[in-house]
Amino acid sequence: MATDDGSAILQVEEVAKHFGNVVALEGASMEAKDGEITAIVGDNGAGKSTLIKCVAGVHLPDRGRIVFGGEVVRFSSPEEARRAGIETVYQNLALVDELTIWQNLFLNREIKRGVGPVSFLDRKAMARRSEEMLSRLDIHIPSVHARVRRLSGGQRQAVAISRATGWGSRLIVMDEPTAALGVKESGRVEELILRLREEGHSLLVISHNFDQVLRLSDQIWVMRQGRVVGGRRTSETTGDELVALVTGANRGEPDEEGEA
Amino acid sequence: MSGGTVVRGWVGEAVGRRLRDPGFWAERAAIFALIAVVVVFGILSPNFLTVGNLEAVLLAGAILVVLAVGQTYAVVTAGIDLSLGATPTLASVMVGYVVGREGGTLLACLLAVLVATTFGVLSGLVISKGGITDFIVTLGALSVATGLALLISDGRPVEVFDPFLLTLATGSIGPIAYLMLLALVVAVAGHVLMFHTGFGTHLLATGGDKEAARNMGVNVDRVKVTAYAISGFLAGVAGIMLTARVGSAEPAVNTEFLLNSVASVVLGGVSLFGGRGSVAGPVAGALLLTALLNGLTLLGVSEYWQPVAVGSVVILSAFLTRYQR
Ligand SMILES: Nc1ncnc2c1ncn2[C@@H]1O[C@H](COP(=O)(O)OP(=O)(O)O)[C@@H](O)[C@H]1O
Ligand SMILES: [Mg+2]
């Protein structure tokens, strides 16, 4: 296999999570290799978002382990995951409409200057750095002083992604980055994702668009009913096989582990 | 065509576009309305535009300005602080109680501010940790503070003779009365805190989109509690100013404070859905309301009409906020 020699940056082992009576994850395992785009596919309600929220520190798993960069981690907040180097672009993007683009890019990471305990925002520096962050990824937006409310779906996605990449993160997690976008905007976001991989970022991307996953990813994991039911190198699978795995049509090996 | 013409044309177009944008006017409604009120009353009443009267307006508006800034902090978190109808009264009664027992001005003022701030902190905690809506919690706090004020004062107003408070009420630096100066300090500090600190950004983010703010690691509960603490603290300051101004501590509830603080915030273009607003707007709103009441009085309009005027202006301005973008 061509890109098989990368080491795993993330390993999820038998992670389970329930909400009251709802079992969202019942022992899901997968891994992501350094420098690759790893995709997770599966029907609505399969547990994809819950799985990445466990990775991102939003949920604490009930059972199982998560190994990140060779160390067992147990994040009790998104902030902890972020400090460890996992940045997440949520399905809702976590952008505040009423704030400007630069305020969103630096939300909770404000650049300040001041003396001792008294410090004030360095608004100019944040605006300038925001312009750099966006232009580095070739994202075109009228002004970093515009409110996010004014942006199109694709522009919002781009802002959220550039925020995730701007902090020396080691793994960028994206939940359905193109679900709400039209064809043209999806294309631009895909370009952005590929550019990030070229820059050496590792990405974990949820999608339920098989064509997209086949175009973008190096490795695909398939989820069904709270489990990871299969894993394939993208170069060695087909859309038909993925459909069969997602729907559970190949009853032969329901809990088959992927050859990563 | 020279570059200069192009730039000038472009700037002109940009300005024109802003002026035609109803959102531009909606956000600055209070300031334009304040100017309009000053001009109209200036024409209608020869006494309105005198230095003495304008000073009187600013002085009378000082307490409302402080309360409006406090209310703004509650409203930008998508909340509302109804307890502002009674916490200034409670703070005032505390001042009367301590001064009346020879406890000293400093202790009186500290206790007044402490009690009012505690109300804010507790409201914020119940709202954020208990998950009860702001409206209900602060309505409860309004009632509790009303009762406590009556209990502490035994339902009776007391005169407060205190040299410090007397100086606060009557003194000035040049033409600027201490009370005006205090309101100005509160307004400037309120603005700087909201727009030039990390806390301010987190406040606006929490009000605008709590889930997004939380996802970015903002401690939204702490933001909420702090916002109500600020509102409570300023209610305490307003209570001290009130005591100084009237020279007594009266347990009667000031519903106008509550109504007018909310009105100032609405006039000031603060979104009631949270996340968007300014401090300058509500300050202008507070001065607008004060100028309106002053002008009506000068024109000899019955004071029974005043609440009608305030209410109409507020509803009118709330209409404008529909054009905010
Ligand atoms: N916070 C939550 N509270 C209760 N149930 C949840 C929560 N999050 C997810 N679930 C449930 O867990 C299951 C998996 O959801 P999710 O991980 O969002 O799936 P996917 O992202 O694959 O569509 C669903 O049945 C969903 O209703
Ligand atoms: Mg999902």
Side-chain angles (χ1 to χ4, degrees), chain A residues 118-174:
Chain A
V118 191
S119 63
F120 297 102
L121 298 180
D122 191 341
R123 298 165 67 104
K124 279 206 187 100
M126 287 188 276
R128 198 180 49 233
R129 289 266 302 275
S130 296
E131 271 159 21
E132 288 164 12
M133 280 164 79
L134 294 175
S135 67
R136 196 178 60 82
L137 293 177
D138 208 15
I139 295 166
H140 299 287
I141 271 158
S143 159
V144 295
H145 297 284
R147 288 180 202 272
V148 163
R149 167 182 293 279
R150 303 222 169 185
L151 301 182
S152 71
Q155 288 173 324
R156 283 157 176 265
Q157 193 72 45
V159 168
I161 291 174
S162 82
R163 175 169 67 183
T165 58
W167 313 98
S169 47
R170 296 160 71 195
L171 176 68
I172 298 162
V173 181
M174 299 184 194

Side-chain angles (χ1 to χ4, degrees), chain B residues 26 109 182 233 240 275:
Chain B
C109 292
L182 187 55
F233 171 80
I240 295 169

Side-chain angles (χ1 to χ4, degrees), chain A residues 49 91 175-176:
Chain A
S49 294
Q91 215 160 349
D175 195 349
E176 311 241 12

Side-chain angles (χ1 to χ4, degrees), chain A residues 58 78-79 82 90 92 94-99 103 107-110 112 119-121 123 147 149-150 163, chain B residues 21 27 192 195-198 201-202 204-205 208-209 211-218 274-276 325:
Chain A
V58 176
E79 212 38 40
R82 200 167 291 136
Y90 296 96
N92 65 11
L95 295 173
V96 181
D97 277 1
E98 302 297 349
L99 293 184
Q103 283 174 317
L107 184 52
N108 207 19
R109 283 172 179 141
E110 292 83 10
K112 293 174 205 157
S119 63
F120 297 102
L121 298 180
R123 298 165 67 104
R147 288 180 202 272
R149 167 182 293 279
R150 303 222 169 185
R163 175 169 67 183
Chain B
D21 173 6
E27 267 162 39
V192 169
F195 296 105
H196 294 276
T197 69
T201 311
H202 296 182
L204 295 167
D209 192 334
E211 210 45 49
R214 187 183 285 134
N215 280 341
M216 293 316 293
V218 173
R276 182 159 188 180
R325 276 191 257 148

Side-chain angles (χ1 to χ4, degrees), chain A residues 38-256:
Chain A
T38 305
I40 302 178
V41 297
D43 267 344
N44 264 337
K48 307 180 296 293
S49 294
T50 307
L51 178 68
I52 62 139
K53 282 178 180 168
C54 287
V55 171
V58 176
H59 299 318
L60 257 183
D62 300 336
R63 272 192 292 113
R65 315 197 293 169
I66 294 172
V67 182
F68 179 63
E71 281 173 39
V72 177
V73 290
R74 209 168 149 72
F75 304 126
S76 50
S77 75
E79 212 38 40
E80 273 180 34
R82 200 167 291 136
R83 272 198 291 272
I86 300 178
E87 282 286 341
T88 307
V89 181
Y90 296 96
Q91 215 160 349
N92 65 11
L93 301 184
L95 295 173
V96 181
D97 277 1
E98 302 297 349
L99 293 184
T100 63
I101 292 166
W102 69 263
Q103 283 174 317
N104 270 286
L105 286 174
F106 283 88
L107 184 52
N108 207 19
R109 283 172 179 141
E110 292 83 10
I111 301 177
K112 293 174 205 157
R113 47 171 195 191
V115 276
V118 191
S119 63
F120 297 102
L121 298 180
D122 191 341
R123 298 165 67 104
K124 279 206 187 100
M126 287 188 276
R128 198 180 49 233
R129 289 266 302 275
S130 296
E131 271 159 21
E132 288 164 12
M133 280 164 79
L134 294 175
S135 67
R136 196 178 60 82
L137 293 177
D138 208 15
I139 295 166
H140 299 287
I141 271 158
S143 159
V144 295
H145 297 284
R147 288 180 202 272
V148 163
R149 167 182 293 279
R150 303 222 169 185
L151 301 182
S152 71
Q155 288 173 324
R156 283 157 176 265
Q157 193 72 45
V159 168
I161 291 174
S162 82
R163 175 169 67 183
T165 58
W167 313 98
S169 47
R170 296 160 71 195
L171 176 68
I172 298 162
V173 181
M174 299 184 194
D175 195 349
E176 311 241 12
T178 61
L181 304 183
V183 179
K184 202 167 147 203
E185 293 205 303
S186 294
R188 297 219 49 167
V189 170
E190 284 180 24
E191 280 170 31
L192 190 52
I193 291 172
L194 290 172
R195 197 168 321 129
L196 293 176
R197 180 177 60 185
E198 273 165 35
E199 290 187 353
H201 288 284
S202 310
L203 296 104
L204 177 59
V205 181
I206 292 181
S207 175
H208 52 217
N209 179 337
F210 294 143
D211 290 337
Q212 178 179 67
V213 162
L214 289 167
R215 269 197 306 275
L216 284 180
S217 70
D218 302 292
Q219 167 77 29
I220 302 171
W221 299 95
V222 179
M223 290 192 68
R224 189 169 71 237
Q225 290 168 7
R227 288 171 185 280
V228 177
V229 294
R232 295 284 185 277
R233 296 304 294 174
T234 308
S235 53
E236 293 164 8
T237 189
T238 62
D240 288 342
E241 189 184 20
L242 291 178
V243 171
L245 279 167
V246 163
T247 56
N250 57 342
R251 291 254 165 242
E253 306 161 276
D255 280 316
E256 150 202 32

